[in-house]
Structures are given as C-alpha cells and as structure tokens.
Amino acid sequence: AQTVTQSQPEMSVQEAETVTLSCTYDTSENNYYLFWYKQPPSRQMILVIRQEAYKQQNATENRFSVNFQKAAKSFSLKISDSQLGDTAMYFCAFMKPQGGKLIFGQGTELSVKP
Amino acid sequence: DAGVIQSPRHEVTEMGQEVTLRCKPISGHNSLFWYRQTMMRGLELLIYFNNNVPIDDSGMPEDRFSAKMPNASFSTLKIQPSEPRDSAVYFCASSSLAGRGETQYFGPGTRLLVL
C-alpha cells in the first residue's frame, strides 16, 4: 500500500525568506502523480502544485517549486519570498497512475512571521 | 465559474440523528470524491464516483454511512444513526474523469459535530 510521510509537523519562516517542506512516499508504481495542497485557517483545500512522475523536470508555480527525487521517493516543496498569506497547513498527496483517490500525508503547519 | 458547492457548512446534531451532507460538483466534471478529515486519522477517502457510479467505497466506515449520486450534478453522504466519533470535516471534491492524475478541486467542507 502507498504511504505518504511528512516528517515536519510544524515549521516557521520569516516573511520574505525561503522555506522547504519535506515529503517522502512509498510506492512500487513507476508512474504516478504527486500534489501539494494548502489548507489555510478557512479549511478550504487549495491546490498548490502538481507533478507527474514520468516528467523529470520539477514543477513550478510562481513562488512555489518542487524538488522531485524519484529514486529517493522524495517530493519537497519550496516556497520563495514567503508571504503572510502562506500561513497554512500543507499536505503532500500521492495518486496512483490510474487515478482515483488521493493519499495524504499528515500535514505540515507553516507559520510565516512578520 | 462556481467551484464545488457543499451544504450545510456546519451541522450540529445529537447522537442517533440522521445527517445528510450535500455536494454539487464543478460542471463538466465526471468524478466526485468524499473525504473526511479528523485529527486522529487525517484526510482519508470515503468513496468516489465516476460518471455517477461508485468505484471505490472501501473507505466507508460502516453500514451507517451511505453515499449516492443520482445525477452528474448532485451527491449526498448520509450518516444514520450518527455517533460522536463521526464528528469531522467532510470534504467533497470533483475532477474530470479520474484516470490520468487529474487535479481534484475541493469544496469548502462541512464541519459536523455530533453531541
């Protein structure tokens, strides 16, 4: 069975600095999909970034980028120029190649301090 | 365009009562997912539908839970009878037909408290 592990329950960063959130996963699949979702205090789940395992190039979305290391089964999220609005829970998630359910990690609570 | 719509946003009920949660997916999406979020278990899938047909209901806790999708624009999750351990945030999400890692878009969630 696939598992997703986020080893950092809480992190904090100063406004305008860079922070990296860690995620590892376990799977025997070769092609799959990885996601980072953000959950602010409103509890809305918001997609941050998506990565297809067959693509070697790391995904980027404005200030958000990932470091995808397929062999190491690692999928970290880097947030550059952190903003107060980035304060939220961040969830890493795995999806099998045939689609279907998302398997979530436990989450990392990020606080951006002024 | 409207996102995924869920109702009610908050529900407080007493143990033993029936609870019905509702979801309207994004127009044009063919897959619909019900997730539950608790402190103890995190985010977990309860059930999902493709083209209104249940595909994976392995996450449904027990017979007290049931879900239906009578048409492409509406789904319900029913708990009968409810118990305090059902207290959680229930999310509905939708995507284009699940099969190629399509992004799932989440609704705002329903916060359920069973007393």
Side-chain angles (χ1 to χ4, degrees):
Chain A
Q2 288 79 11
T3 58
V4 178
T5 302
Q6 293 179 249
S7 58
Q8 305 152 314
E10 298 178 352
M11 292 192 71
S12 65
V13 63
Q14 291 296 129
E15 193 175 8
E17 293 187 348
T18 296
V19 64
T20 299
L21 309 183
S22 301
C23 172
T24 59
Y25 56 93
D26 187 24
T27 184
S28 58
E29 304 278 358
N30 187 44
N31 292 320
Y32 44 86
Y33 305 89
L34 296 164
F35 302 82
W36 279 97
Y37 279 87
K38 167 185 176 180
Q39 187 177 41
S42 66
R43 292 192 175 271
Q44 177 79 47
M45 294 288 289
I46 302 165
L47 176 72
V48 175
I49 202 163
R50 173 179 177 273
Q51 175 80 41
E52 296 153 342
Y54 62 86
K55 289 187 177 179
Q56 292 186 339
Q57 186 173 6
N58 289 326
T60 62
E61 287 288 341
N62 301 313
R63 298 182 295 106
F64 299 88
S65 61
V66 298
N67 183 5
F68 173 48
Q69 300 289 328
K70 191 172 183 179
K73 297 181 182 176
S74 171
F75 183 60
S76 61
L77 175 69
K78 185 171 82 171
I79 306 174
S80 304
D81 186 24
S82 297
Q83 300 176 359
L84 297 178
D86 296 333
T87 292
M89 282 287 286
Y90 286 81
F91 292 95
C92 178
F94 172 97
M95 183 189 292
K96 289 183 178 181
Q98 64 268 37
K101 69 180 179 183
L102 288 165
I103 299 169
F104 287 92
Q106 308 93 313
T108 296
E109 186 171 6
L110 176 67
S111 295
V112 180
K113 301 186 184 303
Chain B
D1 286 339
V4 176
I5 299 172
Q6 290 187 247
S7 64
R9 295 291 306 275
H10 303 274
E11 177 82 21
V12 180
T13 190
E14 293 188 346
M15 183 173 64
Q17 296 298 305
E18 178 179 292
V19 175
T20 299
L21 310 182
R22 297 173 176 80
C23 176
K24 177 179 171 58
I26 292 171
S27 177
H29 281 184
N30 302 102
S31 295
L32 183 139
F33 305 80
W34 283 102
Y35 290 90
R36 179 172 67 175
Q37 185 177 29
T38 62
M39 289 295 292
M40 292 295 294
R41 299 176 65 88
L43 276 154
E44 54 183 351
L45 180 80
L46 298 177
I47 186 171
Y48 85 90
F49 298 83
N50 277 351
N51 292 323
N52 313 336
V53 176
I55 303 299
D56 181 357
D57 65 354
S58 59
M60 294 287 266
E62 50 198 87
D63 291 345
R64 298 185 298 106
F65 284 69
S66 63
K68 294 182 179 180
M69 192 164 186
N71 58 62
S73 58
F74 184 66
S75 176
T76 60
L77 178 67
K78 186 174 294 186
I79 308 173
Q80 167 63 23
S82 58
E83 296 182 3
R85 60 187 167 133
D86 302 330
S87 297
V89 180
Y90 291 82
F91 288 101
C92 177
S94 72
S95 74
S96 54
L97 193 62
R100 290 281 184 97
E102 287 79 8
T103 297
Q104 295 179 19
Y105 296 90
F106 284 72
T110 294
R111 184 178 295 197
L112 174 65
L113 178 61
V114 183
L115 302 174

XYZ file of all heavy atoms in Angstrom, chain B residues 26-86:
495
model
N -18.204 20.568 -9.762
C -17.987 21.547 -10.820
C -18.620 21.025 -12.101
O -18.468 19.839 -12.440
C -16.484 21.807 -11.004
C -15.920 22.520 -9.766
C -16.199 22.604 -12.259
C -14.405 22.644 -9.739
N -19.313 21.889 -12.799
C -19.984 21.496 -14.022
C -18.985 20.928 -15.026
O -17.924 21.516 -15.268
C -20.699 22.712 -14.636
O -21.302 22.370 -15.850
N -19.331 19.759 -15.571
C -18.454 19.123 -16.544
C -17.518 18.093 -15.957
O -16.907 17.317 -16.697
N -17.388 18.078 -14.657
C -16.558 17.065 -14.003
C -17.330 15.760 -13.894
O -18.530 15.751 -13.601
C -16.121 17.538 -12.615
C -14.982 18.499 -12.655
N -14.376 18.981 -11.511
C -14.309 19.053 -13.693
C -13.393 19.793 -11.849
N -13.342 19.859 -13.172
N -16.623 14.654 -14.111
C -17.264 13.343 -14.117
C -16.926 12.488 -12.902
O -17.482 11.412 -12.742
C -16.856 12.578 -15.380
C -17.222 13.314 -16.633
O -16.371 13.941 -17.266
N -18.486 13.257 -16.999
N -15.983 12.959 -12.102
C -15.589 12.194 -10.918
C -15.856 13.015 -9.674
O -15.589 14.213 -9.641
C -14.096 11.826 -10.978
O -13.838 10.960 -12.057
N -16.382 12.331 -8.659
C -16.702 13.006 -7.408
C -16.197 12.166 -6.254
O -16.334 10.941 -6.237
C -18.222 13.206 -7.282
C -18.692 13.982 -6.045
C -19.810 14.935 -6.405
C -19.091 13.064 -4.920
N -15.597 12.852 -5.291
C -14.933 12.199 -4.159
C -15.478 12.761 -2.845
O -15.715 13.955 -2.728
C -13.421 12.471 -4.197
C -12.753 12.087 -5.492
C -12.823 12.927 -6.595
C -12.045 10.895 -5.609
C -12.206 12.587 -7.788
C -11.431 10.550 -6.798
C -11.515 11.398 -7.885
N -15.626 11.886 -1.870
C -15.949 12.290 -0.497
C -14.763 11.927 0.400
O -14.356 10.762 0.464
C -17.202 11.596 0.024
C -18.493 12.145 -0.491
C -19.288 11.624 -1.480
C -19.186 13.312 -0.015
N -20.405 12.403 -1.659
C -20.372 13.431 -0.773
C -18.923 14.256 0.973
C -21.293 14.471 -0.565
C -19.829 15.289 1.173
C -20.994 15.386 0.410
N -14.219 12.935 1.094
C -13.122 12.736 2.039
C -13.582 13.165 3.431
O -14.463 14.005 3.583
C -11.899 13.589 1.664
C -11.162 13.154 0.414
C -11.520 13.658 -0.837
C -10.092 12.272 0.488
C -10.841 13.276 -1.983
C -9.406 11.885 -0.647
C -9.788 12.390 -1.875
O -9.100 12.012 -3.012
N -12.923 12.603 4.435
C -13.176 13.001 5.816
C -11.851 13.400 6.446
O -10.823 12.732 6.242
C -13.804 11.835 6.589
C -14.086 12.142 8.042
C -14.885 11.043 8.699
N -14.152 9.793 8.828
C -14.628 8.724 9.450
N -15.830 8.747 9.988
N -13.911 7.624 9.522
N -11.885 14.482 7.230
C -10.675 14.947 7.919
C -10.899 14.962 9.419
O -11.807 15.628 9.922
C -10.283 16.353 7.449
C -8.967 16.849 8.041
C -8.566 18.208 7.496
O -9.398 19.027 7.131
N -7.260 18.444 7.418
N -10.067 14.221 10.138
C -10.082 14.215 11.595
C -8.665 14.394 12.103
O -7.687 14.169 11.377
C -10.643 12.892 12.161
O -9.764 11.816 11.735
C -12.045 12.617 11.661
N -8.549 14.795 13.363
C -7.229 14.956 13.950
C -6.511 13.615 14.025
O -5.309 13.523 13.785
C -7.353 15.576 15.337
C -7.764 17.039 15.325
S -6.518 18.081 14.577
C -5.216 17.931 15.795
N -7.254 12.578 14.341
C -6.626 11.274 14.563
C -6.196 10.599 13.269
O -5.122 10.007 13.199
C -7.599 10.356 15.310
C -7.866 10.773 16.735
S -6.376 10.658 17.748
C -6.115 8.887 17.750
N -7.018 10.696 12.236
C -6.790 9.921 11.022
C -6.393 10.766 9.826
O -6.081 10.222 8.755
C -8.029 9.099 10.692
C -8.397 8.100 11.784
C -9.700 7.385 11.452
N -9.570 6.558 10.257
C -9.163 5.291 10.259
N -8.851 4.699 11.399
N -9.083 4.608 9.124
N -6.395 12.089 10.011
C -6.030 12.954 8.887
C -7.100 12.956 7.811
O -8.287 12.796 8.097
N -6.671 13.129 6.573
C -7.570 13.157 5.426
C -7.631 11.777 4.795
O -6.613 11.214 4.416
C -7.066 14.141 4.373
C -7.430 15.602 4.569
C -6.402 16.498 3.902
C -8.822 15.876 4.007
N -8.837 11.251 4.660
C -8.981 9.922 4.082
C -10.199 9.868 3.170
O -11.231 10.493 3.450
C -9.093 8.866 5.177
C -10.188 9.134 6.185
C -10.235 8.108 7.309
O -9.523 7.083 7.239
O -11.007 8.321 8.264
N -10.063 9.102 2.100
C -11.158 8.953 1.154
C -12.225 8.035 1.723
O -11.916 6.970 2.263
C -10.663 8.355 -0.157
C -11.751 8.154 -1.208
C -12.055 9.466 -1.916
C -11.355 7.078 -2.214
N -13.473 8.453 1.578
C -14.579 7.583 1.965
C -15.091 6.802 0.761
O -15.237 5.583 0.803
C -15.717 8.419 2.553
C -15.390 9.198 3.825
C -16.582 10.048 4.253
C -14.978 8.254 4.944
N -15.355 7.509 -0.334
C -15.921 6.893 -1.525
C -15.695 7.820 -2.705
O -15.566 9.033 -2.533
C -17.430 6.627 -1.341
C -18.042 5.853 -2.515
C -18.193 7.936 -1.121
C -19.471 5.379 -2.257
N -15.620 7.238 -3.931
C -15.647 8.102 -5.098
C -16.447 7.482 -6.231
O -16.612 6.259 -6.306
C -14.245 8.529 -5.542
C -13.472 7.614 -6.451
C -13.560 7.726 -7.837
C -12.579 6.693 -5.926
C -12.796 6.920 -8.656
C -11.819 5.887 -6.743
C -11.913 6.004 -8.109
O -11.163 5.200 -8.926
N -16.959 8.362 -7.065
C -17.826 8.007 -8.182
C -17.180 8.442 -9.504
O -16.556 9.507 -9.578
C -19.175 8.750 -8.081
C -19.992 8.428 -6.868
C -19.745 9.055 -5.652
C -21.024 7.506 -6.937
C -20.516 8.776 -4.528
C -21.809 7.224 -5.829
C -21.549 7.864 -4.622
N -17.349 7.628 -10.522
C -17.066 8.019 -11.896
C -18.381 7.927 -12.669
O -19.025 6.871 -12.633
C -16.027 7.101 -12.557
C -14.604 7.486 -12.231
O -14.347 8.535 -11.639
N -13.679 6.642 -12.616
N -18.746 9.006 -13.349
C -19.996 9.008 -14.116
C -21.165 8.482 -13.290
O -21.945 7.635 -13.750
C -19.839 8.189 -15.400
C -18.899 8.847 -16.386
O -18.873 10.073 -16.527
N -18.092 8.036 -17.058
N -21.251 8.950 -12.052
C -22.347 8.646 -11.115
C -22.303 7.222 -10.567
O -23.200 6.845 -9.800
C -23.720 8.879 -11.769
C -23.813 10.193 -12.501
O -23.081 11.127 -12.203
N -24.694 10.265 -13.477
N -21.302 6.442 -10.918
C -21.213 5.056 -10.460
C -20.143 4.949 -9.370
O -19.015 5.407 -9.578
C -20.852 4.117 -11.628
C -20.663 2.691 -11.125
C -21.919 4.182 -12.713
N -20.472 4.352 -8.216
C -19.449 4.202 -7.164
C -18.341 3.265 -7.625
O -18.614 2.159 -8.088
C -20.240 3.630 -5.981
C -21.460 3.023 -6.572
C -21.772 3.806 -7.797
N -17.108 3.712 -7.487
C -15.952 2.947 -7.936
C -15.189 2.338 -6.756
O -14.763 1.190 -6.813
C -14.996 3.821 -8.771
C -15.718 4.422 -9.972
C -13.771 3.029 -9.197
C -16.279 3.404 -10.939
N -14.992 3.122 -5.724
C -14.215 2.659 -4.572
C -14.900 3.159 -3.311
O -14.886 4.350 -3.042
C -12.783 3.184 -4.659
C -11.901 2.721 -3.496
O -12.408 2.034 -2.578
O -10.705 3.061 -3.496
N -15.504 2.262 -2.574
C -16.156 2.644 -1.312
C -15.464 1.976 -0.128
O -16.051 1.830 0.945
C -17.642 2.314 -1.329
C -17.910 0.813 -1.398
O -16.935 0.039 -1.554
O -19.075 0.417 -1.301
N -14.230 1.570 -0.319
C -13.507 0.847 0.729
C -13.255 1.703 1.963
O -12.990 1.174 3.037
C -12.184 0.316 0.190
O -11.373 1.372 -0.277
N -13.354 3.011 1.838
C -13.126 3.888 2.978
C -14.366 4.184 3.798
O -14.276 4.816 4.846
N -15.505 3.724 3.337
C -16.747 3.969 4.087
C -16.666 3.178 5.381
O -16.533 1.946 5.365
C -17.952 3.537 3.267
C -18.146 4.376 2.025
S -18.747 6.020 2.389
C -20.511 5.762 2.196
N -16.806 3.870 6.520
C -16.519 3.235 7.808
C -17.383 2.004 8.117
O -16.893 1.001 8.560
C -16.764 4.350 8.821
C -16.669 5.614 8.053
C -17.143 5.289 6.672
N -18.639 2.103 7.885
C -19.545 1.012 8.256
C -20.904 1.269 7.645
O -21.085 2.234 6.915
C -19.623 0.930 9.785
C -19.918 2.265 10.452
C -19.559 2.259 11.925
O -18.395 2.546 12.261
O -20.456 1.963 12.740
N -21.821 0.381 7.947
C -23.139 0.458 7.303
C -23.907 1.726 7.648
O -24.883 2.052 6.978
C -23.983 -0.759 7.686
C -23.425 -2.032 7.068
O -22.595 -1.911 6.149
O -23.824 -3.125 7.509
N -23.466 2.441 8.633
C -24.174 3.669 9.000
C -23.973 4.755 7.953
O -24.719 5.731 7.901
C -23.708 4.177 10.354
C -23.976 3.231 11.513
C -23.589 3.862 12.855
N -22.161 4.169 12.934
C -21.671 5.396 12.853
N -22.474 6.437 12.701
N -20.360 5.600 12.940
N -22.941 4.596 7.135
C -22.623 5.576 6.100
C -23.124 5.072 4.746
O -22.928 3.908 4.393
C -21.114 5.792 6.017
C -20.535 6.621 7.115
C -20.486 6.144 8.421
C -20.018 7.885 6.848
C -19.945 6.921 9.437
C -19.463 8.652 7.870
C -19.427 8.172 9.161
N -23.737 5.990 3.993
C -24.129 5.661 2.627
C -23.970 6.897 1.763
O -24.113 8.021 2.239
C -25.570 5.148 2.575
O -26.467 6.153 3.005
N -23.669 6.698 0.499
C -23.498 7.811 -0.436
C -24.209 7.484 -1.725
O -24.239 6.329 -2.160
C -22.019 8.076 -0.693
N -24.762 8.529 -2.317
C -25.458 8.375 -3.598
C -25.065 9.503 -4.535
O -24.688 10.588 -4.102
C -26.974 8.392 -3.382
C -27.517 7.223 -2.591
C -29.030 7.299 -2.469
C -29.587 6.121 -1.687
N -31.060 6.191 -1.552
N -25.201 9.215 -5.810
C -25.001 10.238 -6.826
C -26.069 10.010 -7.895
O -25.816 9.304 -8.880
C -23.597 10.200 -7.415
C -23.286 11.409 -8.243
S -21.514 11.586 -8.553
C -21.518 13.180 -9.385
N -27.237 10.544 -7.697
C -28.356 10.286 -8.607
C -28.193 10.909 -9.982
O -28.787 10.416 -10.956
C -29.556 10.892 -7.874
C -28.962 11.910 -6.951
C -27.619 11.393 -6.565
N -27.379 11.955 -10.076
C -27.111 12.573 -11.376
C -25.742 13.259 -11.332
O -25.106 13.306 -10.271
C -28.222 13.555 -11.762
C -28.414 14.638 -10.739
O -27.503 15.421 -10.487
N -29.597 14.686 -10.125
N -25.354 13.796 -12.454
C -23.993 14.332 -12.580
C -23.761 15.600 -11.771
O -22.615 16.036 -11.631
C -23.693 14.607 -14.054
N -24.813 16.194 -11.229
C -24.640 17.476 -10.557
C -24.998 17.430 -9.078
O -25.124 18.478 -8.435
C -25.484 18.550 -11.250
O -26.841 18.181 -11.265
N -25.125 16.227 -8.518
C -25.550 16.170 -7.119
C -25.142 14.856 -6.472
O -25.306 13.781 -7.056
C -27.068 16.340 -7.041
C -27.618 16.391 -5.651
C -27.316 17.444 -4.802
C -28.440 15.374 -5.164
C -27.823 17.498 -3.519
C -28.953 15.419 -3.887
C -28.649 16.480 -3.059
N -24.640 14.976 -5.236
C -24.311 13.779 -4.464
C -24.649 14.026 -3.005
O -24.609 15.163 -2.529
C -22.830 13.435 -4.590
O -22.478 12.325 -3.783
N -24.982 12.957 -2.312
C -25.247 13.045 -0.879
C -24.433 12.012 -0.131
O -24.128 10.928 -0.643
C -26.736 12.810 -0.560
O -27.121 11.513 -1.012
C -27.613 13.871 -1.188
N -24.070 12.369 1.090
C -23.439 11.449 2.033
C -24.322 11.446 3.272
O -24.561 12.491 3.865
C -22.023 11.905 2.383
C -21.262 11.060 3.405
C -20.949 9.677 2.831
C -19.971 11.753 3.822
N -24.813 10.270 3.621
C -25.763 10.170 4.722
C -25.161 9.336 5.856
O -24.508 8.299 5.608
C -27.062 9.547 4.241
C -28.178 9.511 5.264
C -29.477 9.002 4.646
C -30.026 9.941 3.615
N -31.360 9.524 3.112
N -25.395 9.778 7.064
C -24.968 9.025 8.248
C -26.223 8.772 9.082
O -26.920 9.696 9.485
C -23.940 9.813 9.091
C -22.777 10.290 8.218
C -23.408 8.920 10.219
C -21.809 11.230 8.937
N -26.514 7.493 9.321
C -27.702 7.138 10.069
C -27.494 5.809 10.784
O -27.326 4.780 10.119
C -28.911 7.035 9.146
C -30.158 6.371 9.720
C -30.756 7.113 10.900
O -30.537 8.307 11.068
N -31.507 6.398 11.726
N -27.502 5.775 12.115
C -27.560 6.906 13.034
C -26.180 7.513 13.264
O -25.168 6.807 13.177
C -28.076 6.249 14.318
C -27.491 4.868 14.259
C -27.477 4.477 12.795
N -26.129 8.783 13.555
C -24.842 9.431 13.791
C -24.323 9.131 15.197
O -25.100 8.861 16.125
C -24.962 10.945 13.583
O -25.951 11.478 14.444
N -22.989 9.162 15.333
C -22.325 8.925 16.608
C -21.286 10.024 16.826
O -20.797 10.616 15.857
C -21.649 7.552 16.609
C -22.618 6.394 16.487
C -21.926 5.038 16.543
O -20.683 5.009 16.734
O -22.629 4.010 16.418
N -20.926 10.281 18.091
C -19.930 11.332 18.360
C -18.623 11.142 17.582
O -18.004 12.123 17.173
C -19.710 11.222 19.874
C -21.030 10.740 20.389
C -21.529 9.779 19.337
N -18.210 9.922 17.338
C -16.958 9.686 16.619
C -17.046 10.055 15.133
O -16.020 10.028 14.437
C -16.540 8.217 16.751
C -17.538 7.220 16.197
C -17.100 5.808 16.533
N -18.171 4.833 16.303
C -18.000 3.689 15.668
N -16.819 3.368 15.190
N -19.007 2.852 15.523
N -18.238 10.385 14.662
C -18.387 10.845 13.285
C -18.070 12.337 13.145
O -18.027 12.856 12.027
C -19.818 10.605 12.791
C -20.218 9.138 12.857
O -19.327 8.266 12.718
O -21.415 8.857 13.058
